[in-house]
Amino acid sequence: MVNLKIHPEVQKALDNHLPIVALESTIISHGMPYPQNIETAKECEAIIRKHGATPATIAIIDGVITVGLTNEELEKIAIETKHVYKTSRRDFPYVISQKLDGALTVSGTMIAAKLANIKFFATGGIGGVHRGGETSMDISADLDELGKTDVTVICAGAKSILDLGKTLEYLETKGVPVIGYQTKKLPAFYTRESNFDLDFKLDTPEAIADFILSKESLHLSGGTLVCNPIPEKYSFPKKLIDDAIDQALADMESLGVKGKETTPFLLKRIVEITGGKSLEANIALVYNNCKLAAQISKAYTERK
Ligand code: PSU
Ligand code: MN
């Protein structure tokens, strides 16, 4: 029996088949600095509510998968981040058996959302195939999770700290549909588009809900990735962000940062290099994804 602690508000929404949107916690503990991380986490929940869905931020608290955090729980994982374990698929048994606090990545949140029967999940960007992944084999567990766990992830594409072309190839191999929301190009997180074409462009939350229902009717297991471009106002000039990313990658190389520290290091370094501008963009795109995720979950619930 899985030990899940579900917040009463989330449980009520589950019991009544109301729209619910899951939120990850790695972005809070390891993706943004304090206090912006907690402010963003709270505003994400408010935006989801405003658009007619119930938010469920998910983390592991004292070894218990907790779906829907209280204020105290949110503060714990936002402030004492050194003691919060970055948790992907492989880490669950360790974090749970040792009764630790864990922040869930995209792959971790998909697993927990599935256990709680939540179908939609909003985040910033997903992990992917890192640049040089063909030799380092650094490929995020997010991609395999998308290949097997039935949750729809709404993101702003992937950062070009990754090899976007290989990331798309990997997702294709795993049978993961990648939908561009009102776009034919893969969004690259800080910029509205990359050079990579997407096969499915859908223009409304309703069309995306229909797409997911068709996938379910065929019992095709695995997730769906919805890519929502960053709002125009916050998008970065391509050259500016490319230079910041190159600098961050060079710093990572010279410091010898490896493994699960890679993504948090790069995110932090890019914020420093851009003097905080990238953080503003990051926050804006997450809000944009929360809104779309709420709209899709609402359209889905109305159709089902
Ligand atoms: N990309 C971002 N922001 C993030 C992450 C990725 O733009 O916060 C986090 C997500 O939680 C994602 C994880 O699942 O990093 C991927 O880490 P890794 O590359 O170690 O798999
Ligand atoms: Mn990795």
Side-chain angles (χ1 to χ4, degrees):
M1 181 62 188
V2 187
N3 195 6
L4 277 187
K5 184 176 148 205
I6 300 184
H7 192 285
E9 188 197 357
V10 177
Q11 188 60 55
K12 197 169 153 208
L14 283 167
D15 293 343
N16 293 294
H17 306 285
L18 298 174
I20 306 175
V21 176
L23 292 162
E24 66 155 302
S25 39
T26 292
I27 194 174
I28 304 172
S29 300
H30 308 294
M32 287 184 190
Y34 181 83
Q36 286 94 337
N37 60 352
I38 193 157
E39 289 161 12
T40 305
K42 286 185 179 162
E43 185 60 19
C44 282
E45 297 195 349
I47 291 169
I48 289 166
R49 284 202 181 90
K50 189 175 145 205
H51 290 91
T54 299
T57 306
I58 311 182
I60 302 179
I61 307 290
D62 298 325
V64 178
I65 299 174
T66 306
V67 182
L69 302 182
T70 62
N71 257 332
E72 295 71 53
E73 288 165 341
L74 195 57
E75 271 168 23
K76 195 176 181 206
I77 62 151
I79 298 170
E80 299 163 38
T81 58
K82 277 200 179 63
H83 305 288
V84 182
Y85 203 92
K86 181 180 161 193
T87 309
S88 293
R89 169 175 278 267
R90 62 160 195 181
D91 307 294
F92 275 86
Y94 179 68
V95 177
I96 290 174
S97 62
Q98 294 292 310
K99 301 191 174 20
L100 305 178
D101 293 327
L104 300 179
T105 62
V106 169
S107 75
T109 308
M110 289 181 78
I111 291 170
K114 180 82 201 297
L115 288 171
N117 204 19
I118 298 174
K119 294 180 183 301
F120 298 92
F121 158 30
T123 185
I126 58 157
V129 180
H130 278 264
R131 294 197 202 172
E134 64 276 23
T135 46
S136 69
M137 299 285 279
D138 190 349
I139 300 170
S140 175
D142 294 352
L143 301 185
D144 273 63
E145 207 58 55
L146 280 160
K148 60 186 160 212
T149 300
D150 305 356
V151 172
T152 298
V153 180
I154 293 92
C155 71
K159 284 201 175 68
S160 46
I161 55 175
L162 303 170
D163 185 324
L164 299 183
K166 289 196 181 70
T167 300
L168 280 182
E169 289 294 346
Y170 198 92
L171 288 168
E172 183 193 347
T173 302
K174 295 284 166 182
V176 180
V178 181
I179 298 171
Y181 181 62
Q182 300 177 346
T183 182
K184 276 295 270 178
K185 296 277 184 194
L186 175 68
F189 200 87
Y190 298 118
T191 54
R192 288 179 59 82
E193 42 181 63
S194 65
N195 295 328
F196 298 94
D197 291 317
L198 295 177
D199 292 306
F200 316 124
K201 169 179 178 281
L202 295 176
D203 294 334
T204 62
E206 290 74 21
I208 297 173
D210 286 337
F211 185 106
I212 294 159
L213 285 163
S214 299
K215 182 167 174 292
E216 282 179 4
S217 73
L218 298 169
H219 303 286
L220 293 174
S221 60
T224 299
L225 190 64
V226 177
C227 296
N228 184 24
I230 183 173
E232 196 87 58
K233 186 170 158 223
Y234 292 93
S235 74
F236 258 68
K238 191 171 174 331
K239 169 96 174 77
L240 195 72
I241 196 65
D242 283 353
D243 288 351
I245 287 171
D246 287 345
Q247 176 68 51
L249 285 165
D251 295 347
M252 181 181 84
E253 183 87 350
S254 67
L255 290 168
V257 178
K258 288 209 165 56
K260 65 188 286 197
E261 302 308 327
T262 304
T263 300
F265 174 86
L266 290 170
L267 296 176
K268 186 160 169 271
R269 203 53 202 112
I270 294 167
V271 173
E272 289 165 2
I273 295 166
T274 61
K277 277 266 170 244
S278 68
L279 182 58
E280 249 176 66
N282 198 344
I283 292 170
L285 67 83
V286 174
Y287 292 166
N288 197 40
N289 296 341
C290 287
K291 175 180 168 192
L292 180 60
Q295 290 169 332
I296 297 170
S297 70
K298 207 160 162 249
Y300 173 92
T301 312
E302 282 163 8
R303 277 165 164 68
K304 213 162 149 87

